[in-house]
Amino acid sequence: MTTSPPVESLATAGIQPFTAEPIRYVGEDGLPVQPLPAAYTPERLRELHAVMLRAREFDRKLITLLRQGRTTFYAQSSGMEATQVGLAHSVRPGHDWVWPYYRDHTLALALGVPMFELISQCLGSNSDPSRGRQMPHHFAARKQNFVSISSSIANQVPPATGTAMAQKYLGTDEITVCTFGDGATSEGDWHAGMNMAGAMAAPCLFVCENNQWAISTNLRGQTASENIHIKAKAYGMPGFYVDGNDIVAVMEVCTHAAGWVRAGNGPALVECLTYRVGSHSNADADAEKNYRTREEVQEWLGRDPVVRVEKLLEHLGHPIESEERAAMIAAVHREVDEQVIRAEATGQPDWRIMFEDVYSDMPAHLREEAAMMRAEQEGGSR
Amino acid sequence: MIATQERQDMPAAEPRTINLITAVTEALHEEMERDSRVVLFGQDVGARGGVFMATAGLQATFGKDRVFDTPLSEASIVGAAVGMAVRGLRPVAEIQFADYMGPGFDQIISQAAKMRYRSGGQYTAPLVIRTPSGGGVKGGHHHSQSPESYYTHTPGLKVVMPSTPYDAKGLLKAAIRGEDPVIFFEPKRLYRASKGEVPGHDYIVRIGEAVIRREGTDLSLIGYGGVMPDLERAADALAAEGVSVEVIDLRSLVPWDKELVVASVQKTGRAVLVSEAPRISNFMGEVAYSIQAAAFDSLLAPVGQVAGFDTPYPYVQDKVYLPGPNRITAACVQALNY
């Protein structure tokens, strides 16, 4: 294993690590603050907007399902669409590997994980590829190399480093992408994984989706550090700071950082400064009453990443008309409704799956317990 | 009675007598030779060869890409092993002492143990964590504990502890070739004290099968790991008094060989269980439960248990703390006189 070259040797291409302010291309008013790269044509921006809006409306519909009692847990990502959709564009789905965290369904959708699979997992239906074993919103998608999500905070970070080390050992051109929230950076596993990745020059792109609240603890309560990305310096990797509500900036910075990793320079960290508009989960539905102010939420709603693209498109002379937007939303709602009906129709896994996949083969003690369960079920008692 | 699955596809050679740590080294060497996916890492395992020299010479043979030192971080070592296994390698991670596994505990129980189950089999984590455990080397409580019960309590993990060179080599090979995460405890006080014959050809010992070390008719004396030589000594002492003791080495704790143990107790009518871990929540509690549930009608006496004390492992009283032959013999006599 070799160590990473000094961060100072990073090819800048106009994107610098360790900036005092988040890198931004489009301001809150939708006007570019620096020239947009040529790739961001109105058509391209419209495509990105459609993916973001789809995720936003998925959120809205899943909250409805939660209120209807058809699922029991959901972690919204409203407000974080630019971060996750922007990041997705630096990942080659099914080629690179992703160790996500539990608020990453927008990333999953953007990487091509079928909505049907996500909904099936949230409902714990027979069509759930994870076989109803995890709480809702903790999915895994093999085709996209989207590794199973754990509830424990930051414990995907050392394994992500390991996957990247394996990629290096195997000599592939894959990279690993590891996401986490700001709260995760307080965990020992985060520091352990980051340190190992730096020391081993593992091709891993770490992405902090800094939505500023870890349930009820805000960033200032989380760390005395000025921000998250500067911590990368301690681990010998470049740290990039980006406006996580600016889809263009996230795409540019993540693509640049992924390119650095892909070129064999070792790991990199990107901090996307964004905001979790909704609650942490259904466990704290009254977030605004308990731990944060309405003013703060309103301020961040003014920075809405979806609206920002709409303003940009308007500025570029290609506005999304209100009827068109309404039709897009209606289409997503229909799509969710259809997939829910389809997933529910598959039923729920029965008790047998409880004993499977614990080991590669079922050992005697589990066969014994399964037999006991069978007798109980067939006897009709509990 | 040694249950094995021997492979004959390597050139036959004469059996040799080696010690337990050499058996570990040989197993690693042969598996790395057999499968380029096997990589070895941990703290000091490279040029130095590990604190106990279990990996001595392997970096020189297989290079720094396959045998390497890591930062001093059990969470990183275990976590990296999970990520490598998920990506398709066969990582063998060394933790210097089982006492140090604490920082890697969450990686073991939340990631390694759950990966297959929670992903519906989409992902698996076939890794091996090797670690020296147990007392008897004047190490104090951070170098002498027997934490196996923490891991036997976690579904998804296989937990193994050999006591002979034959088993160490065969079980470690089985662990590396298997599809499940394995916690491989090595009783450090037997590293050089336990000597025995290993075949000259490739073989494995299947995980989950116990072995009868000596047959007997009056009492079943059951243990694993570092206490096994003391079980033999106690059996010798009792044999001198005309008592026929059946000595069983569990070798694997999860899965464990209930069938063999129950059959033995049905034959002898008495069981004494020995381990050096503290008694409360000791894995042998599971064995005792299973014996009384499956062989209650055969029992002539309550199941006896000899364990470490429920104190942190003491430095000065190292030898007193461990269940030696005297305490084991006394427990057997109590069962015989019940």
Side-chain angles (χ1 to χ4, degrees):
Chain A
M1 298 278 169
T2 54
T3 52
S4 170
V7 169
E8 290 69 32
S9 72
L10 177 65
T12 58
I15 295 173
Q16 297 284 353
F18 304 116
T19 52
E21 293 297 319
I23 296 167
R24 180 174 296 127
Y25 280 79
V26 181
E28 289 167 23
D29 52 6
L31 301 181
V33 296
Q34 59 172 308
L36 297 187
Y40 297 93
T41 60
E43 293 71 29
R44 185 81 182 105
L45 290 167
R46 278 173 159 267
E47 285 169 17
L48 293 169
H49 173 265
V51 178
M52 291 164 70
L53 194 67
R54 184 167 180 254
R56 170 72 56 89
E57 295 308 317
F58 180 84
D59 248 20
R60 198 174 305 212
K61 289 292 286 183
L62 266 285
I63 292 294
T64 306
L65 285 186
L66 190 67
R67 289 179 181 145
Q68 291 170 343
R70 290 154 92 179
T71 184
T72 59
F73 178 87
Y74 188 70
Q76 300 173 67
S77 60
S78 280
M80 299 167 66
E81 291 87 352
T83 289
Q84 294 186 20
V85 174
L87 167 61
H89 284 81
S90 64
V91 181
R92 294 167 298 181
H95 188 77
D96 296 329
W97 284 62
V98 182
W99 282 85
Y101 89 120
Y102 54 64
R103 203 181 294 281
D104 270 342
H105 68 263
T106 295
L107 174 62
L109 284 169
L111 288 174
V113 177
M115 187 186 282
F116 177 62
E117 285 186 19
L118 298 183
I119 287 174
S120 296
Q121 199 281 329
C122 287
L123 300 180
S125 66
N126 254 325
S127 46
D128 170 15
S130 300
R131 309 188 74 194
R133 302 236 181 75
Q134 282 241 68
M135 73 185 290
H137 221 249
H138 289 60
F139 38 85
R142 189 66 187 85
K143 198 174 165 198
Q144 285 76 21
N145 292 337
F146 199 88
V147 185
S148 178
I149 297 170
S150 173
S151 300
S152 305
I153 303 301
N155 85 349
Q156 72 275 29
V157 181
T161 294
T163 293
M165 287 164 67
Q167 291 165 332
K168 187 175 173 178
Y169 172 75
L170 294 167
T172 72
D173 66 345
E174 304 162 11
I175 65 166
T176 297
V177 174
C178 178
T179 65
F180 39 82
D182 39 305
T185 65
S186 301
E187 289 275 13
D189 271 359
W190 187 78
H191 297 275
M194 293 283 290
N195 183 62
M196 179 94 142
M200 295 288 159
C204 193
L205 176 64
F206 297 103
V207 179
C208 178
E209 300 180 23
N210 177 2
N211 66 20
Q212 304 187 62
W213 287 94
I215 310 189
S216 63
T217 305
N218 66 9
L219 188 64
R220 288 281 69 84
Q222 203 66 240
T223 177
S225 180
E226 189 182 336
N227 51 48
I228 302 297
H229 82 281
I230 59 165
K231 300 184 186 202
K233 205 173 199 87
Y235 303 115
M237 66 181 84
F240 297 93
Y241 195 24
V242 60
D243 181 338
N245 284 12
D246 175 355
I247 182 83
V248 175
V250 176
M251 281 176 70
E252 286 299 295
V253 171
C254 286
T255 302
H256 180 74
W260 154 269
V261 173
R262 239 180 264 289
N265 294 308
L269 170 68
V270 176
E271 175 186 4
C272 301
L273 183 66
T274 181
Y275 194 75
R276 188 195 80 212
V277 174
S279 57
H280 160 72
S281 72
N282 41 311
D284 67 336
D286 46 2
E288 283 175 35
K289 200 192 295 177
N290 289 333
Y291 59 80
R292 64 182 184 189
T293 62
R294 180 168 294 271
E295 290 70 32
E296 180 187 289
V297 177
Q298 288 303 316
E299 190 182 328
W300 277 93
L301 281 173
R303 297 170 186 156
D304 188 320
V306 179
V307 173
R308 197 180 300 187
V309 177
E310 289 167 1
K311 286 178 179 170
L312 175 63
L313 280 165
E314 196 171 346
H315 166 73
L316 295 173
H318 292 76
I320 296 171
E321 305 297 344
S322 57
E323 300 79 13
E324 184 187 1
R325 194 177 194 276
M328 288 167 75
I329 290 171
V332 179
H333 288 203
R334 265 199 314 278
E335 186 184 3
V336 174
D337 287 340
E338 285 165 11
Q339 302 309 330
V340 168
I341 290 166
R342 205 178 137 210
E344 285 182 336
T346 67
Q348 287 209 319
D350 73 11
W351 60 269
R352 286 174 187 81
I353 68 109
M354 193 160 66
F355 299 97
E356 295 166 1
D357 295 324
V358 183
Y359 297 96
S360 51
D361 289 315
M362 197 182 293
H365 68 277
L366 283 181
R367 287 201 300 272
E368 205 175 280
E369 289 170 18
M372 198 172 78
M373 187 72 186
R374 186 181 307 116
E376 185 181 300
Q377 291 293 309
E378 286 170 1
S381 63
R382 276 190 59 83
Chain B
M1 293 298 291
I2 294 173
T4 60
Q5 179 185 313
E6 301 194 350
R7 288 169 25 132
Q8 306 294 337
D9 56 353
M10 285 180 70
E14 289 302 305
R16 292 160 297 110
T17 297
I18 57 175
N19 62 26
L20 196 149
I21 197 156
T22 305
V24 169
T25 312
E26 285 190 5
L28 294 170
H29 189 117
E30 290 172 21
E31 290 308 297
M32 293 189 80
E33 210 160 49
R34 192 185 58 80
D35 185 351
S36 64
R37 296 174 305 163
V38 179
V39 294
L40 204 68
F41 54 93
Q43 196 195 337
D44 301 326
V45 303
R48 180 183 152 80
V51 281
F52 290 98
M53 308 306 287
T55 57
L58 296 177
Q59 189 180 66
T61 305
F62 296 101
K64 290 182 178 176
D65 285 342
R66 294 188 67 191
V67 183
F68 54 91
D69 296 331
T70 64
L72 200 171
S73 165
E74 290 77 15
S76 296
I77 294 167
V78 177
V82 171
M84 287 180 180
V86 165
R87 180 56 191 84
L89 299 188
R90 292 298 174 128
V92 182
E94 176 176 306
I95 300 296
Q96 280 195 332
F97 289 89
D99 315 72
Y100 297 161
M101 281 163 72
F105 190 70
D106 190 46
Q107 290 298 330
I108 297 173
I109 66 165
S110 297
Q111 290 284 5
K114 308 287 197 295
M115 187 55 70
R116 178 187 294 275
Y117 195 74
R118 79 177 196 215
S119 70
Q122 295 182 83
Y123 296 97
T124 61
L127 56 87
V128 179
I129 298 168
R130 291 182 38 248
T131 188
S133 81
V137 296
K138 280 281 185 188
H141 57 262
H142 284 155
H143 297 81
S144 304
Q145 295 171 97
S146 299
E148 58 271 17
S149 297
Y150 292 114
Y151 303 96
T152 61
H153 197 60
T154 301
L157 300 176
K158 289 186 172 175
V159 180
V160 173
M161 196 182 310
S163 72
T164 67
Y166 181 94
D167 287 350
K169 188 169 178 179
L171 283 166
L172 184 51
K173 281 167 164 272
I176 292 169
R177 293 178 200 182
E179 299 296 331
D180 299 301
V182 179
I183 312 296
F184 195 86
F185 290 104
E186 298 167 4
K188 66 174 89 68
R189 73 177 131 133
L190 300 185
Y191 266 151
R192 294 176 201 286
S194 175
K195 296 190 178 73
E197 208 169 77
V198 296
H201 57 79
D202 187 31
Y203 71 100
I204 65 159
V205 174
R206 273 195 290 262
I207 293 172
E209 293 182 356
V211 60
I212 297 175
R213 295 283 179 215
R214 77 159 82 183
E215 298 205 21
T217 53
D218 298 330
L219 183 143
S220 302
L221 188 52
I222 302 157
Y224 59 87
V227 298
M228 287 313 298
D230 291 331
L231 267 66
E232 299 276 5
R233 287 182 199 107
D236 285 342
L238 289 161
E241 302 293 324
V243 179
S244 169
V245 174
E246 181 143 294
V247 177
I248 294 172
D249 185 348
L250 289 180
R251 303 194 289 198
S252 297
L253 305 188
V254 178
W256 71 281
D257 199 341
K258 186 160 85 175
E259 200 179 336
L260 182 141
V261 167
V262 167
S264 173
V265 177
Q266 282 169 337
K267 179 176 71 174
T268 64
R270 296 178 180 86
V272 171
L273 315 178
V274 188
S275 66
E276 60 182 275
R279 185 191 299 271
I280 295 176
S281 299
N282 187 306
F283 178 74
M284 284 306 197
E286 168 65 18
V287 178
Y289 161 76
S290 297
I291 290 171
Q292 66 82 24
F296 186 74
D297 291 343
S298 305
L299 284 174
L300 302 170
V303 175
Q305 189 177 0
V306 187
F309 296 110
D310 290 304
T311 68
Y313 194 98
Y315 171 68
V316 173
Q317 291 85 10
D318 188 76
K319 292 285 190 285
V320 179
Y321 176 91
L322 292 169
N326 292 346
R327 205 178 297 153
I328 296 168
T329 307
C332 292
V333 169
Q334 192 177 7
L336 290 160
N337 292 338
Y338 181 77

